[in-house]
Amino acid sequence: MSVSIYNNPSFTDSPYGLKLQQTITGSGAMGTAAGSSVIPSSIKRVYAVCIGGGGAGASRATGGGGAGGAGGYSAGWTFAATTCTVGTGGTGTATAANGANGNATVYGMVFAGGGSGGLTGGSGGAAAGATTPATGTTSTTSYTGAPTATSGAIGYAGGGNTGAGVSSGGGTGVVSTTSNQTGGAGGRGLIAGGGGAVGTSGVGTGGAGGTGDFFAGGTGTSGTGTTFGGGGGGGGYIAAGSNASANNGGNGGNGGGGGGGAGTAGTAGSGGNGVIYLYY
């Protein structure tokens, strides 16, 4: 008889024998950072799970921008640190530019990079796997030592253009401004990238944000003309991605979701903020 790990209480992501003690959503000294408290002096080592901020979608003057990649995921034992850094997601703008990268999350010796922003050329941003975001659509090496993944490939951290992985890449935007166009969906993963945008005189349909293991991505918009075609935000580890609105990209869900790309003259979606979980 087969057993699913998703609906069986015998299975858990928690380290054996430990309890989730803190969920931290802001940076600073322990006890002052959002959601944090001072760790008892008797606790010398903790098991930390870190998720970096998601990348923002790209914006274009005409056509559709690529979506942001998901923040990285890393976990391991570390000393009980007195400070922490929770990476914020990249901020989406209406200015025609590549999307801003997400920022790294750091607790003690555990690091998770921020996702790459989408590209104005239409390429989706890569997911993060190390302490710095990737360049272009190739992911970085993960904390486990897993190799980089190129555009569209499956890897621990997915490459851009819908690459799948533990953290996934952003969907492809379509730069063509004529005919009916559909943006690429964000990649599938534990944490997901956003959907690519379109900006066309025909029927434009923005790509949906990727769906993560726990939360769905947002939907893209669809309609005739350049006031439609925004891409949805990617599903984060702790929240769903936001739906696109008109030619504006949806924001990535908190816990590293990538932001959706923007269509012609729209505002790109921002990446979701990271998070730290401490077990001891």
Side-chain angles (χ1 to χ4, degrees):
M1 181 178 69
S2 62
V3 177
S4 171
I5 66 171
Y6 297 107
N7 58 15
N8 189 315
S10 298
F11 295 92
T12 176
D13 289 334
S14 302
Y16 182 75
L18 302 181
K19 178 181 178 182
L20 176 61
Q21 302 283 1
Q22 298 193 40
T23 300
I24 306 173
T25 57
S27 302
M30 296 298 292
T32 61
S36 78
S37 60
V38 177
I39 295 175
S41 59
S42 59
I43 303 297
K44 305 301 182 184
R45 289 175 294 279
V46 301
Y47 190 88
V49 174
C50 292
I51 296 172
S59 306
R60 285 180 58 89
T62 59
Y73 176 99
S74 63
W77 288 98
T78 180
F79 59 87
T82 57
T83 63
C84 62
T85 300
V86 175
T88 55
T91 301
T93 74
T95 302
N98 292 335
N101 294 332
N103 295 287
T105 293
V106 183
Y107 182 85
M109 298 175 66
V110 182
F111 302 81
S116 293
L119 305 183
T120 58
S123 293
T131 57
T132 56
T135 300
T137 58
T138 300
S139 72
T140 49
T141 303
S142 79
Y143 85 104
T144 63
T148 61
T150 56
S151 179
I154 296 174
Y156 188 96
N161 299 340
T162 70
V166 172
S167 300
S168 72
T172 309
V174 180
V175 299
S176 175
T177 59
T178 60
S179 302
N180 298 340
Q181 305 291 349
T182 300
R188 182 73 170 83
L190 177 68
I191 312 162
V198 300
T200 178
S201 58
V203 176
T205 303
T211 294
D213 279 7
F214 304 113
F215 293 97
T219 59
T221 62
S222 182
T224 301
T226 57
T227 55
F228 297 94
Y237 191 80
I238 56 177
S242 298
N243 296 333
S245 173
N247 55 352
N248 306 309
N251 294 332
N254 279 340
T264 298
T267 300
S270 298
N273 294 333
V275 66
I276 298 171
Y277 296 99
L278 298 183
Y279 296 83
Y280 51 89

